[in-house]
Structures are given as structure tokens and as C-alpha cells.
Amino acid sequence: MSDSYLHSVYVIKDACNGCVACVKYCPTEAIRVRNGKAEIISTRCIDCGECIRRCPTHAMTAVVDTLEATHKYSYNVVLAAPSLYAQFPASVRREVIWQGLKMLGFDEIFDLSAAGDYIAQEIEQYVQCYTGGRKPIISSACPAVLRLIQVKFPELIQQVIPVLSPGEAAAIYVKKNVCAKQNLSEEKVGVWFITPCPAKGTNIRQSVDVKHTKMAGSISEASIYGELRRVMHNAIPEENLKQTITTGSSYGVGWGSCGGEIAASGLENALSVQGVSDVFEVLEQISMNKMNDVDFVELYSCSRGCVGGPFVAINRFVAEKNLKLRIRTLRQNEPQERLAARKSGMTCDGFPTSEDYVKVLEPRPMMQLDEDINVAMEKLEKMDTVLNTLPGIDCGACGAPNCQCLAEDIVQGKAFETDCIFILRSRVKKFAQGMIELSTQIPLTGTTKAEKTKEDQENES
Amino acid sequence: MEIKCEVPGNDFDRAGEASASIKKALQRLGVPADIVRRVAIGTYEGEMNALIHAGGGVIKAEITSNLTIITVKDKGPGIADVQQAMKEGFSTAPDYVRAMGFGAGMGLPNMMKCSDKFSINTVVNKGTKITMRFEHK
């Protein structure tokens, strides 16, 4: 099962110079440098993209689709996410961005903020009706966080809210709707997500939250940003463009950055955490029942939320500012009250409800040393012994992120003690000392001919 | 196998280290996630009690293929009225400890709740020994 786990991130071996930047920053300790090149341990990778961000030689990247992939379909719909809007100043109207997407070849646009409005309503209802179970309820919006929970915090699976991510819900709606409207069979319609991160792309290949994804693929925001900007320069929105697009409210747009999901769901006793190391810390706290007086936590693997994804084109802080200003502008033309405003973004006929499609997360614990607990105990004890021989400075020179990981790799037969340069050095030293000692133990009764000649020559001169 | 952890007295910077290391070991052994969580929570409560009230102590985890037994031993002041200490919300933690967000009571009842079997042995001015048993169902 574990081998079939797909992740999008991969190493461009030619570009990798074997430094350990990615190894050091990987939150699940999923990378090792072996034979001078980074290698990803598939079962541990959660596709957060932290390595993509950290790699100085751009050797880390992820599988995504390109615009050419849309040619396989006769009708293509693009899901335009708030994080995409955030790449442009608030003064650039959504209509212009949509028109630009049309000029790139998409037949239809679905504003993902509309799905955000629907899902926010589901979250609000779920949290309000939640009784008895463990708290806090954990957001299901970020697929990298869901994967982190699968591999590192499987005990928290039951606390993850059983609602779809807006993207998956939108894809289900769009596919059904477009097929009916255009009288096309399902395989002719391609629904595309313009993604700020590799994790959302992986979700399409192997979904963690939806039973059967309706997305055809994902295209990275960074890869189309240049072209989109170029065509947008001359884009004049078609007259009735807005009427042809289901548009979400400002609350739906808010999902793109931190706190947006909570604001759209109107939750007060809730908190928002972004950045994978902070998310990790909070999940640890939740696991220890230390946050059980909080109702809901919104967790995003990227700093500042989706606007901070590894595949976004512009600086995340600027993007966040752009999005905030856009929300403010949109709010001027919306009802004052949140529920009424959100309702204004919910105009889809028959938008799917999560319970028909959502999948329960599957645990994928990665820490286990062996299937057999008795063998695992032996390995754990051996690991402890090995760890005591290591310097404990977590230098990373062995290719593992820290001494503990190296000890684990050694016990699992994946590394050698001499991969540690300190152990290697002390072995070399011992070896060298042994040689010197041996050289002093040459019997004094005789010298070799060569030595004798040399001595004679020295005496003569 | 056995894991032994020293709990330093009143060192809040190191609070939770012992339970975290026991948790990690159980995860490595492949003990089911929900049981690991219960052990971690129970051990943490014991660790905090030893740290706050007893000037430190020793935590021992005895692990077999189907069972984990945690013992928390200290040479602290002991508990005069165990019945009262077992009530939820009862706490004798000093103010400075409460100000840090610890010592809200719940320690002992929480340990009892999350373990399959709980026992406490305490002598005033001698110390306390708590034993928690967890089956790896």
C-alpha cells in the first residue's frame, strides 16, 4: 500500500548538488542525500513543498500539468482560486483575470470563491451541531496538512472535519453542470485547477479527501502567471462575462489567505495557524488534548495560507495585501451582514453537499520500525545504542537530517555508521595510529637494501 | 523493554520531554495511534505533577508486545487526601504555576480516565508512586 502512495514533489538529479538544505527543512524527515543526490522517501512525503522553497539550486520541483494538457479535452473549465486573484492588485477586476484565462484557451471559468461560500456554510453548521466529540475540529482545506495528519498524527483523523475542500466540491459541481449544459460526456470535459502548491496537484492524482475527484489536473500558478499577465494587458472583458460566471462573495475570496476560512464560517472560538512548523507544533498540542477549549482550527502548511504556496509568482505578503484590499472593495457592493453577503455568492443550482462525496482520511503512520512489535523493540534498543555513539550535533553531513534519523537508518540497514564523518574520522585516526605503532615494531636486526643504500649515502655526504 | 526518564523539578522549559520521548518510542514500536495518544496524555499529567509538586521524579515505561505500564515515582510531599485530589478541578498548585497555565486540577482524574488501570500509592512526606496500565488492543 505504502509504495503506491503518490507524491508530486521530485528531485531533478542533475541540478542537485547534494547540499542538505531540503533534508534539514523537511517537516516529515522524508529526504536523505545518498551518493551526493537528494532522495525522497515516498511514504513520508506530504507534498508541502518546503524543499522546493529551500533548495538553492532549484533541484526540487513537482509534477504539474501544462496548458497543453488541456488539448486532450474538447471543453475546458478552469477553477480560478483566490490565491490567483491575489497575484494581481485589487484594482485589476476579476473580470479582467477571467477574460485573460479565456484568452489562454479555457472555455469557461468557475470562481472558486463560490465554492468557498458553500463549504463555509457546511463548516459553520458542522461546528454548531458538534457535540461530545474531541475538540478542536480541524479544517480539511489544506491537503498537505491532511497528509501530515495521516503520517504523523493519525490519532487526530477523527477530528478532521468531514467536508470537501472548495476545489474538489467545485469540480464535482462544474463537471455535472457543464456536461448537462453543453450536452457533453464526462470524459470530454476537463476541469482544471490553477494551483499555488504541489499538494493540491497530488490530491488530483491520489485524493485524500474526496472519493472520486472530478479534476483533470492542476497547472501551477507560477507557470501561467507570465503568459496570463501578458494577455491580460489587452484583455477587455466580454460584455456579459460576469453573467456567465458563478461568482463567490468576498467571504469566499477570503479563503486564499489566513483566517479567511474562519471568517467565512463566522467562527469565533477558532484560530488560524500557517507554516508547516507551526502547524506541526499545534497538531502536537491538539494531540495532547491541550487545545480542547478551542472549537475549530484552520491550518495551512504554507506561511500566510494559500497565497504563500511554493508555486505562486509574487511575494506572499504582497499577495495577502492584494487580497485584503480586493475583499474590502468587494464588500462595498455586498450586504453588510456576513450571512447575507455569503448567501450572495451562493447561486449554484444543486451544489454538492460533502457527505455524499467526502472520504475518511486513511492513517499512514510512518514511524513504525517493524511490523512485528518484538522486532521493533530490538531495533529501538539498537537504535538507542547507535545514537549514543553519534556526536548528537545534527550536522546533516551524513545525508540524514539529524543523528536520530541516521541511527534509525543504520538500524534499518539503509546507512552505515561510517556515514557519520565524526565516526569516520575517529576510525581513520585509530587506523593511522595503528600504522604508526606498527612501523615502530620493525625488528632492529636488519634493514632493507634500499634503506641501507640510503643510509650509506647519507653517511658519505 | 524499559525506558526511564528523569523529570527535573520545577524546570518548566523541559516540561513534557519525558512524555514526548515515551510517545515517540511507542510510535516507533507501532503501538496503535489512539493508545499512544492516551499514554502520552497520562504520562504528561504524571510528569507535570512530579515537576510542579514533588521537585522532580522518575518516569518508567515498561513495554511488552501487548501492554505498556507507566510508573511515575517521586520523593515529594505525598498527597494527604487522595479522595479529594481525585476530584476534577481540585488543585494545590501554587499561584505562580497557575499563572503559567498549569495546575488547573484534573491531573489525577485525567490519568485515571485515559489509562485502563490506575493506581496510586502515596505517603505524606515520603512520596508518591502512580502506576498506569495501557493495553495495546
Side-chain angles (χ1 to χ4, degrees):
Chain A
M1 180 192 79
S2 51
D3 289 337
S4 68
Y5 176 49
L6 289 169
H7 58 97
S8 301
V9 176
Y10 68 93
V11 188
I12 305 166
K13 296 270 176 187
D14 288 339
C16 175
N17 70 359
C19 80
V20 287
C22 56
V23 172
K24 280 285 184 186
Y25 286 104
C26 176
T28 56
E29 299 171 336
I31 312 175
R32 301 287 184 276
V33 171
R34 297 211 200 286
N35 300 319
K37 302 286 173 191
E39 278 174 19
I40 299 172
I41 304 167
S42 294
T43 47
R44 295 186 175 194
C45 176
I46 58 167
D47 272 327
C48 63
E50 203 59 21
C51 52
I52 298 178
R53 258 188 218 110
R54 304 287 184 171
C55 179
T57 59
H58 306 286
M60 288 296 192
T61 185
V63 185
V64 272
D65 297 294
T66 55
L67 275 178
E68 282 76 60
T70 60
H71 299 160
K72 282 185 287 189
Y73 298 84
S74 45
Y75 196 87
N76 287 292
V77 186
V78 63
L79 306 176
S83 62
L84 180 67
Y85 302 149
Q87 304 303 302
F88 304 96
S91 56
V92 177
R93 288 178 303 140
R94 280 191 289 183
E95 285 85 338
V96 177
I97 303 172
W98 295 332
Q99 190 62 46
L101 290 168
K102 280 205 152 180
M103 290 162 88
L104 289 185
F106 291 104
D107 299 292
E108 199 174 315
I109 287 109
F110 183 87
D111 176 18
L112 209 46
S113 8
D117 288 326
Y118 279 96
I119 299 299
Q121 186 187 43
E122 282 200 48
I123 294 171
E124 187 168 2
Q125 281 165 359
Y126 185 87
V127 175
Q128 274 171 1
C129 302
Y130 190 76
T131 47
R134 276 190 182 134
K135 282 206 296 185
I137 299 160
I138 302 168
S139 161
S140 63
C142 174
V145 170
L146 295 185
R147 293 188 146 82
L148 179 61
I149 291 174
Q150 283 183 303
V151 301
K152 277 275 188 179
F153 301 94
E155 71 275 18
L156 298 181
I157 284 176
Q158 51 172 321
Q159 278 167 258
V160 175
I161 189 164
V163 302
L164 294 173
S165 56
E168 293 293 351
I172 293 166
Y173 169 77
V174 166
K175 194 106 180 191
K176 203 170 125 199
N177 205 262
V178 168
C179 289
K181 210 170 58 187
Q182 303 289 337
N183 201 16
L184 287 165
S185 61
E186 278 218 1
E187 62 276 10
K188 291 219 162 109
V189 178
V191 183
W192 301 88
F193 184 70
I194 297 184
T195 184
C197 70
K200 289 200 164 112
T202 316
N203 216 40
I204 294 162
R205 287 175 200 88
Q206 178 158 337
S207 177
V208 285
D209 67 322
V210 65
K211 284 176 195 153
H212 305 286
T213 186
K214 294 291 181 191
M215 287 204 212
S218 63
I219 299 163
S220 102
E221 261 180 41
S223 75
I224 67 152
Y225 175 74
E227 185 75 352
L228 182 58
R229 254 187 81 136
R230 196 179 59 76
V231 296
M232 272 169 60
H233 196 67
N234 305 313
I236 300 156
E238 294 159 23
E239 220 167 88
N240 59 349
L241 182 68
K242 195 161 182 191
Q243 279 74 51
T244 64
I245 294 171
T246 309
T247 56
S249 76
S250 66
Y251 285 95
V253 173
W255 275 74
S257 68
C258 42
E261 186 184 346
I262 289 173
S265 315
L267 304 172
E268 273 166 14
N269 185 24
L271 51 89
S272 171
V273 180
Q274 321 90 36
V276 75
S277 62
D278 283 348
V279 165
F280 204 102
E281 183 193 323
V282 163
L283 288 173
E284 247 163 10
Q285 295 282 303
I286 295 173
S287 175
M288 293 297 284
N289 272 358
K290 295 183 64 87
M291 280 200 178
N292 53 11
D293 49 355
V294 176
D295 290 336
F296 184 83
V297 290
E298 173 197 292
L299 306 175
Y300 286 99
S301 159
C302 295
S303 160
R304 313 318 293 162
C306 293
V307 294
F311 287 160
V312 298
I314 70 161
N315 177 282
R316 62 187 181 279
F317 300 103
V318 176
E320 185 179 33
K321 183 265 307 173
N322 285 347
L323 203 65
K324 279 211 174 109
L325 291 181
R326 184 177 294 279
I327 290 166
R328 202 165 73 185
T329 315
L330 287 171
R331 246 165 230 179
Q332 286 164 359
N333 301 310
E334 272 176 2
Q336 280 261 304
E337 202 268 321
R338 179 183 59 88
L339 285 177
R342 196 175 69 191
K343 198 101 206 152
S344 73
M346 298 163 69
T347 56
C348 301
D349 202 12
F351 197 84
T353 46
S354 294
E355 60 175 343
D356 299 330
Y357 300 94
V358 79
K359 184 166 95 176
V360 179
L361 272 187
E362 216 181 282
R364 292 179 186 280
M366 53 165 245
M367 302 270 289
Q368 198 170 0
L369 291 171
D370 202 278
E371 291 284 323
D372 181 343
I373 189 168
N374 293 309
V375 179
M377 279 195 242
E378 274 169 37
K379 285 184 176 173
L380 187 60
E381 271 167 356
K382 202 174 152 204
M383 216 180 113
D384 216 41
T385 319
V386 173
L387 189 60
N388 281 329
T389 67
L390 298 176
I393 59 165
D394 298 342
C395 66
C398 60
N402 50 53
C403 294
Q404 199 161 51
C405 277
L406 177 62
E408 189 181 334
D409 290 350
I410 291 169
V411 167
Q412 297 290 38
K414 291 175 186 158
F416 301 103
E417 277 184 313
T418 45
D419 286 348
C420 170
I421 54 162
F422 294 90
I423 289 193
L424 184 69
R425 193 174 64 175
S426 79
R427 295 258 172 102
V428 167
K429 198 174 160 189
K430 251 188 215 158
F431 194 54
Q433 275 169 345
M435 303 253 279
I436 292 167
E437 265 168 43
L438 276 178
S439 73
T440 62
Q441 285 165 12
I442 294 168
L444 299 169
T445 49
T447 41
T448 61
K449 262 187 189 160
E451 277 171 335
K452 197 158 189 172
T453 331
K454 207 177 164 196
E455 264 172 41
D456 290 346
Q457 277 170 357
E458 274 166 7
N459 289 342
E460 274 166 31
S461 62
Chain B
M1 67 181 296
E2 196 182 289
I3 301 168
K4 227 176 181 176
C5 306
E6 297 278 337
V7 180
N10 278 307
D11 186 351
F12 283 87
D13 286 340
R14 292 181 55 189
E17 272 183 15
S19 43
S21 70
I22 290 169
K23 180 184 177 183
K24 215 167 181 183
L26 292 173
Q27 284 173 329
R28 288 211 155 95
L29 298 178
V31 172
D34 223 58
I35 291 150
V36 175
R37 185 184 194 178
R38 288 199 282 120
V39 176
I41 292 169
T43 311
Y44 179 81
E45 293 290 358
E47 183 178 0
M48 291 313 289
N49 278 353
L51 186 137
I52 295 169
H53 300 288
V58 178
I59 297 184
K60 201 168 72 180
E62 290 161 89
I63 310 162
T64 62
S65 58
N66 48 18
L67 190 69
T68 294
I69 298 170
I70 301 283
T71 40
V72 187
K73 232 166 138 176
D74 67 58
K75 290 181 179 155
I79 302 166
D81 188 343
V82 177
Q83 293 285 312
Q84 193 182 30
M86 289 302 292
K87 281 189 194 132
E88 296 204 3
F90 178 81
S91 173
T92 58
D95 285 345
Y96 79 95
V97 169
R98 285 170 191 256
M100 294 166 88
F102 299 104
M106 303 283 284
L108 293 181
N110 222 353
M111 283 186 255
M112 190 158 91
K113 228 190 269 171
C114 65
S115 57
D116 293 314
K117 209 175 153 199
F118 170 89
S119 67
I120 180 165
N121 208 322
T122 179
V123 180
V124 174
N125 293 331
K126 280 264 164 79
T128 303
K129 183 182 167 191
I130 285 167
T131 311
M132 287 174 278
R133 218 177 129 98
F134 301 87
E135 320 267 346
H136 305 166
K137 270 155 275 183

